[in-house]
Amino acid sequence: MQKIILITSKYEDKKNSKIKKKIYAGNWCIKNPQNDIIYDWNLNNNFEKNYDYLNKIIQKFGKILSKKLNQLHKIDKDPRFWEILLFPWLTYYIPAQFYRWKIVKDIVAKNKNLYVYKPNLIKYPPVTDSLEFYEGITNSDYLNEVFFGRIIDFLIKKKKISKIFLKDKTKIPNDIKKYSIPRKSNNIKEKIKKISSFIISKIYKEKKILICEGLISSQDLIELNLKLNQAPIFSKRVFNKQYYLSTISNLKTRKDLRKKISLDEKKFDDFENFLSIYIMEDMPKCLLEGFGPLNKMVNKINLYPKYAVVFHDHYHNELFKFWYANNLKSIKLIICAHGAAMQPKPAHFGIESKIANKKVSYVNDDECPIRTRVKLPFPQLIRYKRKNPKFLIFSTYTPEYYPCRYGVSNNTFATNRNYEDLLLLKKYLDKKIFSQLKISNKLSNSKSIKNLNNLFYGKKNINNIPFSKQINSAKLMICTYPQTTFLESVASGPTLALFNYKDWIFTKNNMKIYDKLIYNNIFFESAEELSFFINKKWENIDIWWSEIKKKKIIDEYLSLFQEDPNYLKEWKNFLRTLV
């Protein structure tokens, strides 16, 4: 019987090019797949079942780690304190491990003659915070190899894998720092920010509502604060990310500290046992070595509002999280949706609704309890006329290169079809129309877009231009996912969307508008059909759009997010009720 080799990286594939029978863990292992056997995640997995399983494990480990970290740091903080600090990282870390665990387990179970490489158990220094972990695990070849190697080693020791091909001597360069967040704390600008943050926090310590920067524009931020009779504070300066990153990242990793916690809990299944071996070793520095220094930084922030309104700092800014966690008894947290998502089963597993006193949603949120939910308009100017419509702009969606988050709108295995779709557009679009095509991409740091940047020799890429200005130059927008980009585009002029419907199902309350957008040729699944439609409508695109608008379909969709163009009015009224 012919040997079958499990391949988990492009390095293993390149090293063993002569071996004919291989099974690939994912598309990242091979450049040009043809008749190769590649594990199909969507075919082999039940999303609902996995989602519920992961939710239970995240909650379980959250409770266990809360107790252990209290013991380690010799404090007695309640569970909500640790939920704020721990859960953002856990919602990345545990699904990232699970993806790889399930891939290996499924391939082993279905292939009796499967051989694996005996892995080199390479280690990596812990990252600084939750966002650095996310950037690393979704882009780093090295970190992906670390995680797969550990799983294979664990299953060999458990005798779940018995056929070892040979010891893998493939050396993968440590590229984690390549995807880390820039930390420039010594230049003049950062020093000025640090000083100004301190002065501002001293002057305005009586502030009643802190409105953090995020989805809302600086102009609207200032206006809202003035309506509340308070001076605005720019939160990025108070909770200076570069400042704390430069401090915490330079701390020496303390192995003795990490080994003090043992997670030999009872009633663990195999996957949980595997997690318990490595979770303390992998925990970001901000929760261990940086715990004391971050608390000292927080003590210098003399800012004590009654409410904090936040868009995304509760997930990716450790200084904000530590500040709020230490003041959660006196400050109420209002978490706002940071985009125009309409999908159920979010990748944060409903934790946002759990830690928030109030959760601001722009559409009906099936996952948020009614007692917590506040519906407000999408806080951006979206209804405006395009000033210089000329181009056909293709706005890309790029799934994670390596798997991490688990949710309907954050499915790593949502089909990454940009490259193939653009080639189909070139094939089927009229040449004059294709000459006007431009490629827009928001996620410039993602490895998923590397090949896309080289497509058409890079001549069609839009570089370093704000998305609002890109929209202004669009005769027609093509969006590849129905979230914030689609909302911003469809509100200002002719827009189509191209994606797999099964990847982006709306919440139950909003399925009617979803079906209408499909029926009226605004949503497409086929790039070929989309091309023919554009060829037919291009010369009179505004006439077609006027006909669509007469049907009130666009207004119906926009009203889900923003009924009144004067969107700040409801925000002002809501915030005034708080003070």
Side-chain angles (χ1 to χ4, degrees):
M1 189 180 288
Q2 190 178 15
K3 290 180 180 178
I4 307 171
I5 308 299
L6 171 62
I7 302 293
T8 62
S9 74
K10 62 183 180 182
Y11 294 92
E12 291 177 350
D13 186 48
K14 187 177 180 181
K15 179 182 175 182
N16 298 283
S17 57
K18 294 180 180 180
I19 297 174
K20 293 182 179 180
K21 194 73 172 178
K22 304 175 188 175
I23 295 181
Y24 296 94
N27 286 308
W28 58 82
C29 302
I30 185 168
K31 278 189 175 181
N32 300 305
Q34 294 176 357
N35 297 319
D36 304 282
I37 303 172
I38 303 173
Y39 177 82
D40 189 325
W41 177 270
N42 293 323
L43 187 65
N44 287 281
N45 284 274
N46 181 298
F47 173 81
E48 296 279 345
K49 183 179 178 182
N50 287 344
Y51 189 89
D52 291 342
Y53 174 68
L54 285 170
N55 193 11
K56 288 177 183 176
I57 292 181
I58 290 168
Q59 299 293 339
K60 185 176 184 177
F61 272 82
K63 290 177 181 177
I64 293 169
L65 290 172
S66 295
K67 293 178 182 178
K68 297 290 186 180
L69 288 170
N70 265 335
Q71 294 170 10
L72 183 68
H73 293 301
K74 298 178 181 179
I75 54 178
D76 186 23
K77 299 292 185 180
D78 64 34
R80 191 158 170 251
F81 175 93
W82 289 110
E83 282 176 352
I84 293 159
L85 300 185
L86 268 172
F87 277 108
W89 176 64
L90 289 178
T91 60
Y92 292 150
Y93 181 78
I94 291 177
Q97 297 279 19
F98 178 75
Y99 272 120
R100 291 158 180 79
W101 172 271
K102 188 70 164 51
I103 289 169
V104 175
K105 286 275 287 183
D106 284 355
I107 292 174
V108 169
K110 292 181 181 181
N111 296 275
K112 294 182 179 180
N113 203 38
L114 183 78
Y115 282 73
V116 298
Y117 291 103
K118 185 176 181 181
N120 290 320
L121 288 182
I122 51 178
K123 295 186 178 182
Y124 75 100
V127 294
T128 305
D129 67 359
S130 55
L131 183 56
E132 283 205 345
F133 175 80
Y134 173 75
E135 294 292 347
I137 195 57
T138 55
N139 290 297
S140 168
D141 298 330
Y142 183 85
L143 192 50
N144 184 61
E145 188 68 10
V146 169
F147 278 21
F148 267 116
R150 288 171 170 179
I151 291 165
I152 291 169
D153 179 73
F154 179 88
L155 293 175
I156 290 172
K157 289 176 180 177
K158 290 286 183 179
K159 298 182 179 180
K160 301 293 176 69
I161 297 176
S162 58
K163 297 179 179 179
I164 315 300
F165 183 57
L166 50 82
K167 189 173 182 179
D168 183 16
K169 296 181 180 179
T170 305
K171 289 186 178 180
I172 299 178
N174 188 338
D175 59 349
I176 297 175
K177 288 185 178 180
K178 183 179 177 181
Y179 303 103
S180 63
I181 302 160
R183 3 176 125 68
K184 296 180 180 179
S185 63
N186 296 321
N187 58 38
I188 295 173
K189 286 185 178 180
E190 290 303 321
K191 288 181 179 179
I192 292 172
K193 282 183 179 180
K194 182 180 175 182
I195 294 168
S196 63
S197 299
F198 179 76
I199 293 172
I200 290 170
S201 63
K202 281 282 188 182
I203 295 172
Y204 300 120
K205 61 183 178 180
E206 298 300 325
K207 192 177 190 69
K208 294 179 180 179
I209 302 177
L210 170 66
I211 306 171
C212 292
E213 293 175 84
L215 190 62
I216 196 167
S217 70
S218 296
Q219 182 178 337
D220 288 343
L221 181 68
I222 292 169
E223 186 176 340
L224 278 176
N225 276 282
L226 293 178
K227 289 292 181 181
L228 295 169
N229 296 317
Q230 60 182 29
I233 285 182
F234 293 97
S235 58
K236 288 180 182 178
R237 295 183 181 181
V238 178
F239 307 105
N240 191 318
K241 197 169 181 67
Q242 281 70 35
Y243 170 53
Y244 82 71
L245 282 173
S246 62
T247 302
I248 306 303
S249 63
N250 289 325
L251 295 174
K252 186 178 180 181
T253 303
R254 289 185 55 189
K255 294 181 181 179
D256 62 316
L257 189 70
R258 292 170 180 270
K259 288 179 179 179
K260 281 185 179 180
I261 293 183
S262 175
L263 271 68
D264 52 346
E265 300 288 329
K266 296 178 181 179
K267 296 182 180 179
F268 272 0
D269 62 22
D270 279 352
F271 177 59
E272 291 169 325
N273 275 321
F274 168 75
L275 288 175
S276 70
I277 295 171
Y278 293 105
I279 199 164
M280 288 307 303
E281 184 179 325
D282 296 341
M283 188 172 285
K285 286 184 177 181
C286 63
L287 294 166
L288 293 170
E289 295 86 355
F291 187 84
L294 273 165
N295 278 316
K296 287 181 181 179
M297 292 180 199
V298 164
N299 291 334
K300 294 178 181 179
I301 299 175
N302 294 312
L303 188 62
Y304 305 104
K306 291 182 179 179
Y307 295 89
V309 180
V310 65
F311 293 91
H312 46 64
D313 284 346
H314 62 289
Y315 233 82
H316 291 150
N317 189 309
E318 304 302 329
L319 190 53
F320 174 86
K321 286 190 279 186
F322 269 75
W323 170 78
Y324 176 66
N326 279 287
N327 293 284
L328 60 86
K329 291 183 179 179
S330 58
I331 300 173
K332 292 184 178 179
L333 184 65
I334 301 171
I335 294 177
C336 307
H338 58 269
M342 296 178 68
Q343 285 70 40
K345 302 292 182 182
H348 59 68
F349 292 90
I351 291 163
E352 285 190 347
S353 300
K354 189 176 180 182
I355 67 172
N357 297 98
K358 292 291 180 183
K359 172 76 185 294
V360 173
S361 303
Y362 315 125
V363 293
N364 293 322
D365 188 344
D366 288 353
E367 306 298 324
C368 182
I370 295 175
R371 60 181 172 76
T372 307
R373 187 188 313 163
V374 177
K375 190 178 185 309
L376 288 175
F378 187 76
Q380 278 188 8
L381 176 64
I382 54 175
R383 290 178 171 89
Y384 57 85
K385 190 175 181 180
R386 296 176 189 173
K387 295 178 181 178
N388 187 29
K390 179 181 178 182
F391 298 109
L392 173 62
I393 296 182
F394 184 95
S395 179
T396 62
Y397 171 74
T398 50
E400 297 155 351
Y401 186 80
Y402 290 119
C404 177
R405 294 179 293 177
Y406 203 85
V408 169
S409 60
N410 300 115
N411 182 0
T412 297
F413 292 94
T415 310
N416 190 0
R417 46 182 287 178
N418 294 315
Y419 192 91
E420 291 76 13
D421 282 341
L422 282 163
L423 291 178
L424 288 170
L425 290 176
K426 182 182 179 182
K427 180 178 180 180
Y428 292 113
L429 278 176
D430 181 277
K431 289 184 179 180
K432 289 183 179 180
I433 299 174
F434 184 77
S435 68
Q436 298 297 98
L437 178 73
K438 298 291 181 182
I439 303 172
S440 168
N441 183 23
K442 287 185 174 182
L443 301 176
S444 58
N445 192 41
S446 173
K447 188 182 277 192
S448 293
I449 65 161
K450 187 175 180 181
N451 291 336
L452 202 62
N453 285 338
N454 298 324
L455 188 62
F456 311 129
Y457 304 102
K459 292 180 180 179
K460 291 191 172 292
N461 298 341
I462 300 175
N463 298 313
N464 303 318
I465 298 175
F467 189 65
S468 59
K469 290 186 177 180
Q470 295 180 34
I471 294 176
N472 269 325
S473 67
K475 181 175 179 177
L476 175 64
M477 290 290 302
I478 301 174
C479 298
T480 52
Y481 61 108
Q483 291 192 336
T484 309
T485 299
F486 179 74
L487 174 65
E488 293 171 348
S489 301
V490 80
S492 62
T495 301
L496 300 171
L498 177 65
F499 59 92
N500 289 352
Y501 298 157
K502 64 180 176 62
D503 290 338
W504 298 93
I505 298 298
F506 286 13
T507 54
K508 292 177 183 178
N509 293 330
N510 301 301
M511 279 305 295
K512 285 184 179 180
I513 187 63
Y514 185 87
D515 292 336
K516 286 181 182 180
L517 291 167
I518 294 172
Y519 180 78
N520 287 277
N521 294 317
I522 295 172
F523 285 176
F524 286 82
E525 275 196 303
S526 165
E528 184 177 350
E529 289 179 13
L530 176 71
S531 299
F532 293 146
F533 184 82
I534 294 172
N535 288 339
K536 185 178 178 181
K537 302 293 184 181
W538 180 257
E539 292 301 326
N540 299 298
I541 199 76
D542 290 326
I543 294 174
W544 165 74
W545 193 246
S546 296
E547 292 171 353
I548 290 293
K549 294 196 79 173
K550 285 179 183 177
K551 295 180 181 181
K552 303 295 183 181
I553 300 164
I554 304 305
D555 287 341
E556 185 180 347
Y557 172 75
L558 294 178
S559 67
L560 294 173
F561 297 91
Q562 193 184 92
E563 292 186 30
D564 188 347
N566 185 11
Y567 54 91
L568 279 186
K569 183 179 178 181
E570 285 190 52
W571 278 84
K572 293 171 191 172
N573 292 337
F574 168 68
L575 294 174
R576 279 173 178 164
T577 63
L578 303 178
V579 296

